Amino acid sequence: METLDTVLTRRSVSRLSDPAPDDAQLLALVKAAMTAPDHGRLLPWRLVTLRGEERAELGARLAACSADDPHARERAAAKPLRAPLLVAIVFAPVAHPTIPRWEQLAATAAAIQTLSLLLHDRGYASIWRTGAVTHDHGVRALHRLRPDEQLLGWLYTGTAVSLPRPRRLPDPRARVRTLTQLAASGAQVEVCC
Ligand SMILES: Cc1cc2nc3c(=O)[nH]c(=O)nc-3n(C[C@H](O)[C@H](O)[C@H](O)COP(=O)(O)O)c2cc1C
């Protein structure tokens, strides 16, 4: 796909089925995603893949942290089964004298967006899902998180059951101003010192 087409047609897809990329295909895409900008090349993230029965293990943990109602538990247990492959995104910040945590988080998000674009380019689809469950002790333990690591959610991955239309995008001129336009607009200035 042409690069601009890949970017313009990527959508988050909720309904995903087989096939998902196999381990070798996924590793090749993860390697390519390592080209994302990353101050100091710290690679402050790691990924955990869940397929087949591994997804049911996560489902059991999600059920354990849901409300004490059998239907809610059933719904929670089924959540990880919504895609053939889940890629857990673990933020693993590195203690560094000059590169702050926020830059490392930005580098991680850049890598995941690159991965989702590459998946789309190869005919797969994905959606990044998060939620309060990412902070649950049992869910963290399942992914073997260290105390300094943070679970950022899962990239649910597979093949789109149906392809959503490209998103209608707002006018970019509302987001971009030249410095001269800003000065002329009399926009509020933060008072310093
Ligand atoms: C950090 C992050 C967390 C997200 N968490 C969820 C989520 O928990 N549930 C969900 O349905 N979508 C989630 N999304 C996907 C967004 O909702 C989706 O990107 C947005 O609706 C725009 O859709 P699009 O990607 O098709 O343009 C998340 C996206 C990001 C970047």
Side-chain angles (χ1 to χ4, degrees):
M1 227 188 269
E2 211 257 322
T3 309
L4 189 60
D5 285 340
T6 303
V7 174
L8 288 174
T9 58
R10 184 215 59 82
R11 294 296 314 274
S12 299
V13 177
S14 302
R15 297 190 61 208
L16 295 160
S17 65
D18 279 312
D22 63 24
D23 288 342
Q25 290 170 320
L26 182 70
L27 281 179
L29 299 184
V30 169
K31 184 171 182 181
M34 288 176 179
T35 58
D38 173 8
H39 193 176
R41 296 199 188 152
L42 300 176
L43 291 173
W45 49 268
R46 62 186 178 87
L47 306 175
V48 183
T49 61
L50 295 91
R51 300 178 192 266
E53 279 306 303
E54 294 168 334
R55 298 169 308 156
E57 274 186 65
L58 173 60
R61 302 276 182 158
L62 298 186
C65 41
S66 81
D68 208 8
D69 147 34
H71 294 298
R73 282 174 183 268
E74 215 171 288
R75 275 201 307 277
K79 281 187 175 177
L81 308 179
R82 290 176 292 182
L85 168 64
L86 270 61
V87 181
I89 305 156
V90 179
F91 178 47
V94 175
H96 193 281
T98 56
I99 302 173
R101 185 184 160 95
W102 80 262
E103 290 191 16
Q104 299 184 37
L105 190 55
T108 301
I112 298 306
Q113 171 62 359
T114 305
L115 178 59
S116 68
L117 286 170
L118 289 166
L119 285 164
H120 172 53
D121 188 66
R122 287 289 174 266
Y124 299 108
S126 64
I127 180 168
W128 187 341
R129 292 186 185 276
T130 50
V133 288
T134 56
H135 302 288
D136 176 76
H137 178 73
V139 173
R140 287 176 56 91
L142 182 72
H143 297 82
R144 299 285 188 272
L145 259 74
R146 297 193 312 257
D148 58 324
E149 291 181 327
Q150 186 181 347
L151 182 59
L152 300 182
W154 300 267
L155 199 62
Y156 280 60
T157 305
T159 298
V161 173
S162 60
L163 273 177
R165 288 206 195 121
R167 207 161 88 196
R168 281 170 63 90
L169 301 169
D171 185 343
R173 286 172 298 188
R175 295 277 144 196
V176 183
R177 291 279 184 274
T178 68
L179 194 61
T180 308
Q181 285 167 339
L182 263 189
S185 75
Q188 196 79 36
V189 177
E190 187 183 358
V191 180
C192 169
C193 318

